[in-house]
Amino acid sequence: MGMINTKFCETVHVGNHSFEIIGDSIDGSTGKVNQDSFGFYHDDECLIVAVADGLGSAPLSQIVSECIVETVMEVLSDPDPGDIWRHISEKWKSSIEGPLDQYDTTCKFICIRNGKATVGSIGDGWIGMLHTNGYQELENSNVFTNRTKSICSPKLMDRTYTGECDLDDIISFGISTDGFSEDFDRESRFEFLRDVCDDMSGDLRATRDAIR
């Protein structure tokens, strides 16, 4: 049986909008170290949520999953981050010591600013969106696969994904590492996101400025 080892639920305010954020991490039944990290950052202008999953083959993967989450939040807190993944990669490399392959992790993020959401990914996992017209998974066939790509992948810029969407009519976002995306099919992921919305806010569909 899994055990919850990290959990938070907070309401934050960004500009004129309010956002509810929940985070949860569950240990698997294998007894292996949980190498997931996640967190969020917000100020008056933006909200950033990031998750990362350290690769078990890398000795320091748990450390780097924490490091990459912090790096993503630092880079995206800049209103003009430029080439996002290149900036993240350069900043991350400058913060570590030793061979890069000792530090390996996947990473996903959502950044909300000025009425738009920017999403990014390297490696497997899930980003889902519930809006007034239904459910959508934001994905790219070259990125969201069962073949893990990571921050140490060769030709990193060719293996990352970055997209943008308007917040109009969006009810909630979901973001996770591969543990969730591999254990549940698309319909179950949709039902999870819908049920979380119902449980947390009741009539959340009447509140368009919400993220989960």
Side-chain angles (χ1 to χ4, degrees):
M1 174 180 260
M3 180 181 69
I4 295 174
N5 60 17
T6 305
K7 186 171 184 177
F8 62 79
C9 178
E10 297 198 26
T11 300
V12 301
H13 304 281
V14 179
N16 296 324
H17 306 307
S18 295
F19 300 89
E20 292 183 69
I21 309 171
I22 65 169
D24 215 345
S25 182
I26 300 174
D27 287 336
S29 58
T30 63
K32 294 182 179 180
V33 175
N34 186 333
Q35 296 168 316
D36 293 354
S37 297
F38 63 99
F40 71 92
Y41 165 87
H42 75 97
D43 57 28
D44 291 339
E45 298 181 350
C46 74
L47 169 64
I48 304 159
V49 181
V51 300
D53 180 11
L55 274 60
S57 59
L60 302 175
S61 55
Q62 187 171 16
I63 295 174
V64 77
S65 70
E66 298 173 0
C67 176
I68 201 69
V69 167
E70 293 173 356
T71 300
V72 165
M73 292 189 287
E74 185 174 349
V75 168
L76 293 177
S77 63
D78 184 340
D80 185 16
D83 187 330
I84 293 174
W85 279 110
R86 190 174 301 281
H87 194 174
I88 289 172
S89 176
E90 290 173 353
K91 197 168 193 64
W92 165 70
K93 288 178 181 178
S94 70
S95 68
I96 63 175
E97 298 179 357
L100 292 182
D101 59 4
Q102 293 190 37
Y103 305 80
D104 214 352
T105 180
T106 64
C107 182
K108 298 191 180 302
F109 67 77
I110 300 171
C111 177
I112 293 177
R113 185 189 298 273
N114 297 329
K116 294 185 179 296
T118 301
V119 300
S121 172
I122 175 66
D124 46 19
W126 168 70
I127 300 178
M129 178 176 67
L130 190 63
H131 51 78
T132 54
N133 294 320
Y135 172 70
Q136 177 184 1
E137 296 198 340
L138 307 176
E139 59 184 298
N140 179 293
S141 60
N142 293 322
V143 177
F144 291 77
T145 70
N146 288 328
R147 186 176 179 181
T148 300
K149 299 177 178 66
S150 63
I151 196 68
C152 286
S153 295
K155 298 182 179 179
L156 176 65
M157 297 303 110
D158 295 334
R159 299 175 183 270
T160 60
Y161 171 78
T162 308
E164 187 176 85
C165 60
D166 291 329
L167 284 182
D168 292 346
D169 301 320
I170 290 179
I171 297 168
S172 66
F173 284 101
I175 180 172
S176 79
T177 59
D178 63 344
F180 177 80
S181 61
E182 292 180 0
D183 286 350
F184 298 93
D185 60 20
R186 179 186 172 93
E187 182 65 22
S188 298
R189 294 192 293 265
F190 158 64
E191 291 176 354
F192 167 80
L193 199 54
R194 180 197 60 194
D195 291 346
V196 167
C197 291
D198 290 341
D199 290 345
M200 292 296 296
S201 295
D203 191 19
L204 183 61
R205 289 169 178 76
T207 307
R208 289 163 50 173
D209 306 314
I211 181 171
R212 292 285 172 81

